[in-house]
């Protein structure tokens, strides 16, 4: 889904993009954007008994109505409504041809789980239950040269330290969310990215939750051969089990997960309206898909009027998740689209949707494109005949191919006007049964060692979980390098220097670093990667004990692990503190660009748990890149800093620190008009987002003094190192 992960390439002030709410419908080749005040009903309700430390939104307490800012994006085909103040929710997606909403609509603010306003939202860091109503996002509006418009939103979670239960909101990670509309396209792109600002690997789980209307007879579009329960204890062939066809909505209720998705779409087909409500998703990025339907009990109960379809970074909600590498990034791009006039969609990708209706005398294929594409060619081949068609693919007018001879299979090929392949699929398309060993594999991943489960989640702040993990690690052989590394990583993420567990973990690394007798779990000899991590984490702990300063003792340990990007970052800070900015800039550049040297999977040099790195995670490198840009400004190289920051903002237009630093660099370069625009947009992203402002100041301090800003921790108030 390459198009869905392209991000903005232009910078435009939000105020300059606002247009009158009463503007005429835009032509097909433009996207309009406006900011409106919208008022919603507030429904007061007590929190559930299992809510733990859930806190209500004080803005809603005692109120019956609440007014917020909504950003509306609109082209000739679609209108999208975004609420940045309520967690970057996408509450409405309306297809203008027939005025149909893609999602279930519920314009009510009820500050309790599942926070079901209707529409769609990304659930993070808690992977289920949705988004609290007290999680505002800073935002800006970006317009590309081709007319594409993006609402780019940024969220941080360190202010929620202490909230680590079921609905806990703390995370050291950052989430950016964007909603994009292209000229002439019927797809609304809804994308979330998660960034790790730490030189340590970090666990995460990100889910998108979409709510659709519940109508009897509607059909679930689930391109999967089998489904299983949340714990992967049982697996059933999709869609029929226990005598019920779960592919067609009725009175039944069930929750199931497709963990072996074989298509890049999911959704609901409503036969009465001949409408397919689709989510386009990259199945190798979003590994899990969840269907949740409440059983009808003959009375109006919360949840019976809608169904939920979720797409997640991990296979099921109970799965502990995956790692991001140090400074790593994960992106989940989704496309939202309505397809009508072709019957039930049998296959779809990012460019087209296809329906196929075989018959005794041939068959009928209908194709729609998600944007206007002139000069397309379509070919359907069977053993008996070849049928071709040509024309413009459009979102609202299908092209039909009629087969006149009976056949068992059809190969359909669709090419655009430049002869690029848009689709090739064999019809009828059918998913294969999931391999029988998948549940067993997932069960193994769900029951890892205590340290691994703790390290993956932010719930390590809980005393019971921490004590269990520490006890397991304390029982490992003293010379076990892997367990020592994991203990150090766990302690650094959960405790400040000075505790007994901190001292024990550090001293264990010291003994290993200077003994040379390291072993791995099971008695294997430690490989070079394990040895590097022993020295790397020893250096990190010593630096944190010194308030973030890379002392000579810390530098000595780090010098033996300089191939690791995380270590290059700290060595770069040490060079800043030593008055060698040129060397620092080189180290930071390498840290931002290089992948960590961790062998994946089992093997002589593999660190245990490294097989849990998410397959779609990328290097990222934003934090060291931002520090480098700030350093280059101090070295009177503003144009070099601007080049770094502009590239970063192309990839991630929601990064406020990049905009604020760019404003400084543009000022130094005497480009004052551009500097004022960048500064104004940075302020929009800092709004409702004070943690981002603190991160910006931390980046500037690191570039100025060479002192590491430390690690946000889940169970402790804000304060570093």
């Amino acid at each position: 889904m390459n198009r869905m992960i392209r991000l903005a390439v232009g910078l435009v002030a939000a105020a300059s993009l606002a247009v009158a709410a009463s503007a005429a419908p835009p032509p097909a080749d433009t996207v309009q954007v406006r900011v409106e005040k919208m008022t919603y009903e507030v429904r007061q309700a007590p929190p559930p008994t299992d809510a733990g430390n859930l806190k209500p939104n004080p803005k809603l307490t005692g109120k019956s109505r609440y007014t917020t800012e909504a950003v509306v994006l609109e082209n000739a085909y679609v209108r999208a409504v975004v609420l940045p103040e309520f967690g970057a929710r996408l509450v409405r997606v309306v297809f203008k041809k027939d005025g149909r909403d893609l999602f279930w609509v519920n314009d009510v603010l009820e500050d309790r789980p599942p926070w079901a306003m209707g529409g769609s939202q990304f659930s993070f860091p808690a992977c289920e239950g949705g988004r609290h109503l007290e999680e505002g996002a800073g935002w800006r509006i970006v317009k590309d040269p081709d007319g594409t418009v993006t609402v780019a939103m940024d969220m941080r979670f360190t202010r929620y330290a202490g909230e680590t239960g079921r609905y806990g909101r703390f995370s050291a990670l950052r989430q950016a969310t964007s909603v994009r509309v292209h000229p002439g396209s019927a797809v609304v792109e809804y994308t979330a990215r998660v960034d790790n600002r730490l030189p340590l690997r970090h666990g995460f789980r990100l889910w998108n939750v979409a709510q659709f209307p519940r109508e009897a007879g509607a059909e679930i579009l689930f391109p999967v051969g089998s489904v299983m329960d949340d714990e992967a204890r049982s697996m059933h062939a999709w869609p029929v089990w226990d005598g019920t066809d779960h592919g067609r909505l009725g009175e039944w209720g069930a929750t199931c997960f497709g963990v072996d998705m074989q298509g890049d779409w999911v959704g609901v087909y409503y036969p009465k309206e001949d409408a397919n409500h689709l989510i386009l998703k990259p199945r190798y990025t979003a590994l899990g898909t969840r269907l949740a339907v409440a059983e009808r009990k003959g009375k109006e109960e919360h949840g019976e009027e809608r169904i939920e379809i979720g797409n997640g970074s991990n296979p099921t909600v109970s799965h502990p998740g995956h790692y991001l590498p140090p400074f790593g990034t994960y992106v989940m791009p989704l496309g939202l689209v309505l397809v009508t006039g072709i019957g039930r969609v049998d296959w779809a990708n990012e460019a087209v949707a296809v329906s196929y209706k075989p018959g005794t005398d041939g068959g009928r294929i209908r194709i729609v494109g998600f944007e206007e594409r002139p000069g397309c060619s379509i070919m359907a081949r069977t053993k008996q005949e070849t049928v071709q068609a040509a024309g413009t693919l459009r979102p609202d007018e299908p092209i039909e191919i009629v087969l006149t001879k009976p056949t068992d299979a059809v190969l359909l090929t669709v090419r655009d006007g430049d002869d690029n392949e848009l689709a090739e699929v064999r019809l009828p398309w059918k998913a294969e049964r999931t391999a029988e060993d998948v549940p067993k594999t997932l069960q193994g991943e769900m029951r890892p060692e205590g340290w691994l489960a703790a390290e993956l989640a932010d719930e390590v702040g809980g005393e019971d979980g921490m004590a269990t993990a520490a006890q397991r690690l304390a029982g490992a052989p003293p010379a076990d390098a892997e367990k020592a590394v994991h203990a150090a990583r766990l302690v650094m993420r959960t405790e400040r220097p000075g505790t007994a567990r901190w001292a024990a973990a550090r001293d264990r690394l010291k003994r290993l670093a200077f003994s040379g007798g390291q072993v791995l779990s099971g008695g294997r000899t430690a490989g070079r990667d394990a040895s590097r991590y022993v020295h790397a984490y020893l250096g990190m702990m010593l630096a944190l004990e010194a308030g973030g300063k890379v002392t000579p003792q810390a530098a000595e340990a780090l010098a033996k692990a300089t191939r690791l990007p995380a270590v290059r970052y700290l060595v770069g800070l040490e060079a800043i503190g030593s008055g060698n900015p040129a060397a620092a800039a080189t180290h930071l550049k390498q840290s931002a660009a290089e992948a960590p040297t961790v062998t994946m999977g089992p093997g002589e040099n593999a660190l245990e748990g490294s097989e849990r790195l998410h397959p779609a995670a990328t290097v990222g490198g934003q934090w060291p890149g931002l520090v480098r840009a700030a350093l280059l400004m101090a070295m009177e190289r503003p144009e070099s800093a601007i080049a770094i920051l502009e590239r970063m903002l192309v990839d991630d237009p929601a990064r406020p620190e990049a905009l604020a630093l760019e404003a400084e660099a543009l000022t130094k370069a005497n480009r004052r008009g551009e500097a004022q625009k960048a500064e104004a947009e940075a302020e929009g992203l800092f709004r409702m987002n004070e943690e981002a402002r603190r991160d910006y100041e931390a980046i500037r301090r690191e570039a100025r003094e060479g002192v590491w800003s430390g690690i946000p921790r889940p169970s402790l108030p804000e304060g570093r190192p």
Side-chain angles (χ1 to χ4, degrees):
M1 303 182 73
N2 294 332
R3 175 163 186 180
M4 285 184 214
I5 60 175
R6 291 184 310 172
L7 293 175
V9 297
L11 307 177
V12 184
S16 68
L17 295 173
V19 299
S22 59
D29 60 348
T30 66
V31 179
Q32 292 186 355
V33 59
R34 60 185 180 269
V35 180
E36 297 182 358
K37 295 290 187 181
M38 290 193 177
T39 300
Y40 292 90
E41 176 190 348
V42 177
R43 183 179 299 153
Q44 301 292 339
T49 55
D50 63 345
N53 51 18
L54 181 64
K55 299 174 182 177
N57 185 344
K59 293 181 180 180
L60 303 179
T61 302
K63 294 184 179 180
S64 60
R65 300 182 71 78
Y66 185 83
T67 300
T68 187
E69 285 185 321
V71 185
V72 182
L73 303 175
E74 182 174 4
N75 67 10
Y77 294 106
V78 67
R79 181 187 306 113
V81 179
V82 189
L83 302 183
E85 182 178 357
F86 295 121
R89 276 174 165 81
L90 182 58
V91 290
R92 299 288 294 273
V93 175
V94 181
F95 290 86
K96 298 164 68 174
K97 178 182 177 182
D98 54 9
R100 186 173 179 85
D101 280 279
L102 185 72
F103 297 121
W104 174 65
V105 177
N106 182 42
D107 291 336
V108 176
L109 300 171
E110 185 175 350
D111 196 16
R112 58 169 285 156
W115 298 282
M117 276 195 73
S120 182
Q121 58 184 308
F122 284 98
S123 190
F124 180 85
C127 66
E128 68 170 329
R131 174 75 73 197
H132 292 232
L133 292 181
E134 194 195 4
E135 294 181 31
W139 58 278
R140 66 187 286 234
I141 298 172
V142 181
K143 192 170 184 179
D144 293 358
D146 69 354
T148 296
V149 178
T150 303
V151 185
M153 295 162 281
D154 179 85
M155 300 178 70
R156 313 292 167 99
F157 309 96
T158 54
R159 70 182 182 273
Y160 301 118
E163 295 188 26
T164 57
R166 179 179 181 186
Y167 300 113
R169 294 177 285 178
F170 171 85
S171 179
L173 304 178
R174 161 192 181 251
Q175 182 194 333
T177 307
S178 65
V179 178
R180 309 188 81 205
V181 174
H182 297 271
S185 174
V187 176
V188 175
E189 297 177 7
Y190 194 29
T191 301
R193 64 178 286 151
V194 178
D195 288 291
N196 182 11
R197 47 80 50 88
L198 300 178
L200 304 167
R201 74 187 188 192
H202 199 297
F204 78 102
R205 294 180 291 177
L206 172 70
W207 280 76
N208 174 266
V209 180
Q211 298 169 337
F212 295 96
R214 180 171 186 164
E215 293 182 10
E219 301 175 28
I220 307 299
L221 305 177
F222 225 50
V224 64
S226 305
V227 295
M228 59 188 65
D229 66 292
D230 192 23
E231 301 286 345
R233 292 168 297 190
S234 60
M235 184 167 69
H236 304 285
W238 173 263
V240 179
W241 69 90
D242 294 338
T244 299
D245 181 1
H246 297 84
R248 189 179 300 273
L249 290 177
E251 302 300 307
W252 56 268
T255 297
C256 60
F257 292 82
V259 299
D260 183 26
M261 300 300 291
Q262 297 170 41
D264 291 323
W265 77 96
V266 67
V268 185
Y269 174 59
Y270 298 90
K272 293 179 182 178
E273 297 83 4
D274 188 18
N276 297 271
H277 295 215
L278 298 183
I279 301 175
L280 309 175
K281 52 166 279 183
R283 63 186 182 277
Y284 300 115
T285 297
L287 304 179
T289 300
R290 175 179 183 259
L291 171 67
V293 181
E295 182 181 359
R296 286 201 183 278
K297 300 179 180 179
K299 58 181 179 179
E300 288 297 323
E301 290 198 3
H302 197 58
E304 288 191 9
E305 69 277 22
R306 70 182 191 275
I307 69 168
E308 287 187 356
I309 293 179
N311 291 287
S313 62
N314 53 306
T316 74
V317 168
S318 290
H319 186 279
H322 297 83
Y323 293 120
L324 282 177
F327 307 125
T329 295
Y330 167 85
V331 179
M332 183 190 293
L334 303 177
L336 312 172
V337 65
L338 183 76
V339 175
T340 61
I342 69 171
R344 184 185 191 275
V345 165
D346 292 295
W347 186 87
N349 66 2
E350 65 173 355
V352 300
V354 177
S355 69
Y356 174 53
K357 187 175 182 179
T360 57
D361 57 350
R364 184 185 68 192
I365 302 172
R366 288 182 174 175
I367 308 106
V368 295
F370 298 141
E371 64 181 72
E372 296 181 12
R373 297 178 184 268
C376 291
S377 61
I378 302 169
M379 180 183 297
R381 286 171 283 179
T382 73
K383 292 181 179 180
Q384 292 78 24
E385 61 182 327
T386 297
V387 181
Q388 300 185 61
T392 298
L393 280 173
R394 293 185 174 89
D396 55 358
E397 186 178 336
I399 292 179
E400 183 175 281
I401 287 184
V402 177
L403 303 172
T404 60
K405 298 178 182 180
T407 184
D408 293 329
V410 184
L411 181 63
L412 177 71
T413 305
V414 183
R415 308 187 79 87
D416 67 12
D418 295 324
D419 203 34
N420 299 308
E421 184 177 283
L422 299 178
E424 186 166 84
V425 58
R426 188 171 298 277
L427 302 171
W429 185 89
K430 182 177 175 59
E432 298 179 358
R433 179 79 184 262
T434 303
E436 295 296 331
D437 62 346
V438 169
K440 183 178 180 181
T441 300
L442 290 179
Q443 288 175 21
E445 293 177 0
M446 291 180 188
R447 296 174 178 83
E449 291 291 325
W451 60 263
L452 182 54
E455 190 187 337
L456 277 166
D458 278 318
E459 295 181 14
V460 290
E463 189 62 31
D464 291 342
M466 181 65 207
T468 301
Q471 184 176 1
R472 286 179 178 271
L473 291 164
D480 189 326
E482 285 181 339
K483 290 297 187 294
V485 163
H486 298 313
R489 185 160 39 222
L490 188 61
V491 168
M492 280 193 284
R493 277 193 51 207
T494 57
E495 302 191 25
R496 292 197 185 113
T499 68
R501 279 194 289 258
W502 180 285
R506 179 207 57 213
D507 291 345
R508 191 171 178 181
L509 289 178
K510 278 186 175 180
R511 289 192 296 270
L512 284 167
F514 300 108
S515 70
Q518 302 166 36
V519 298
L520 302 180
S521 299
R524 295 176 290 133
T525 302
R528 286 175 295 177
D529 285 331
S531 176
R532 290 191 189 105
Y533 275 92
V534 167
H535 290 92
Y537 291 157
L538 175 58
M540 289 183 194
M541 296 188 84
L542 292 172
L544 290 169
E545 289 176 3
K549 184 177 180 180
V550 182
T551 61
Q553 294 86 352
E556 180 183 359
L558 294 170
K560 299 179 182 179
T562 52
R563 286 189 59 186
L564 299 176
V567 171
R568 290 189 189 275
Y569 158 72
L570 293 171
V571 171
L573 296 185
E574 191 273 337
I576 293 172
S578 300
N580 191 348
T586 299
H587 286 300
L588 291 169
K589 180 180 180 180
Q590 293 170 330
S591 176
E594 295 180 2
T597 56
V598 176
T599 305
M600 300 291 287
E604 184 69 20
N605 291 332
L607 282 178
E608 192 173 357
S610 62
E611 69 278 0
R612 292 292 188 84
L613 289 170
H614 198 286
T618 59
V619 174
Q622 283 196 356
W623 190 272
L626 290 164
V627 176
R628 178 177 171 233
L631 176 63
L632 290 171
M633 277 192 286
M635 297 168 64
E636 301 301 327
R637 294 173 57 188
E639 295 292 348
S640 297
I642 291 168
I644 293 170
L645 297 165
E646 286 184 345
R647 287 194 299 269
M648 189 177 295
L649 287 164
V650 167
D651 182 58
D652 181 5
R655 190 87 206 201
E657 302 99 316
L659 275 166
L661 289 171
E662 185 184 44
E664 292 184 42
L666 289 166
T667 299
K668 279 181 171 286
N670 293 316
R671 295 159 61 177
R672 300 192 183 280
E674 295 172 82
Q676 290 174 354
K677 182 180 290 187
E679 184 177 5
E681 294 200 338
E683 284 303 312
L685 285 165
F686 284 136
R687 190 172 59 140
M688 296 186 290
N689 196 11
E690 283 302 313
E691 298 107 307
R693 195 183 298 274
R694 287 196 292 270
D695 285 346
Y696 164 61
E697 294 298 337
I699 288 164
R700 295 177 76 242
R701 180 170 179 255
E702 288 190 4
R704 184 175 62 250
E705 302 175 12
V707 176
W708 181 18
S709 55
I711 301 173
R713 296 179 177 90
S715 61
L716 301 170
E718 182 69 19
R720 303 170 192 167

